[in-house]
Amino acid sequence: MYRDVQFRTSLYRKKDAMTTIPFTHARAKLSELFTEVCTKGERIVVERHGHERVAIVPIGDIEALERLRDQRDIALAEAALNESEDRIPWDEVKKELGL
């Protein structure tokens, strides 16, 4: 459920831990939004034509997302290695390819 955010106009809505604002207001208030994200850890979703398009988030959120993605990729790679029964040794592959 959206609710008005006190430090902004009524055009800004709060949903869960993120504030949603129209693109035109984000453009006009970029410096203020940057400060909110940096100092308070706010997460700002910018919408255009009624659709959520981008988010302005603290860099720590992006770093955490990257760590999660790396962990997922490692788990998927390990699962793929474990599921492969017909492994060909690297030396045989090089020999077949003339390397």
Side-chain angles (χ1 to χ4, degrees):
M1 181 60 95
Y2 288 102
R3 61 184 163 83
D4 289 347
V5 178
Q6 291 180 357
F7 63 89
R8 299 199 171 94
T9 71
S10 61
L11 290 173
Y12 297 46
R13 299 179 311 227
K14 187 91 169 172
K15 181 182 179 185
D16 300 322
M18 293 186 279
T19 300
T20 301
I21 65 169
F23 173 77
T24 53
H25 291 264
R27 183 176 48 197
K29 301 288 186 180
L30 185 59
S31 179
E32 176 187 329
L33 297 175
F34 184 82
T35 300
E36 291 293 324
V37 170
C38 290
T39 61
K40 297 181 182 174
E42 278 284 328
R43 296 175 180 147
I44 311 291
V45 174
V46 181
E47 61 180 28
R48 193 169 205 182
H49 305 295
H51 299 283
E52 294 176 341
R53 300 295 183 177
V54 299
I56 306 169
V57 298
I59 194 67
D61 288 6
I62 298 300
E63 292 167 346
L65 180 61
E66 289 297 320
R67 283 191 302 273
L68 287 172
R69 183 185 291 170
D70 290 346
Q71 290 172 358
R72 184 204 61 200
D73 290 347
I74 290 168
L76 289 172
E78 288 173 346
L81 282 173
N82 291 333
E83 120 186 348
S84 175
E85 295 176 10
D86 300 325
R87 296 185 194 170
I88 302 171
W90 177 238
D91 290 334
E92 287 182 31
V93 173
K94 287 195 308 188
K95 185 176 180 182
E96 273 187 43
L97 296 174
L99 299 175

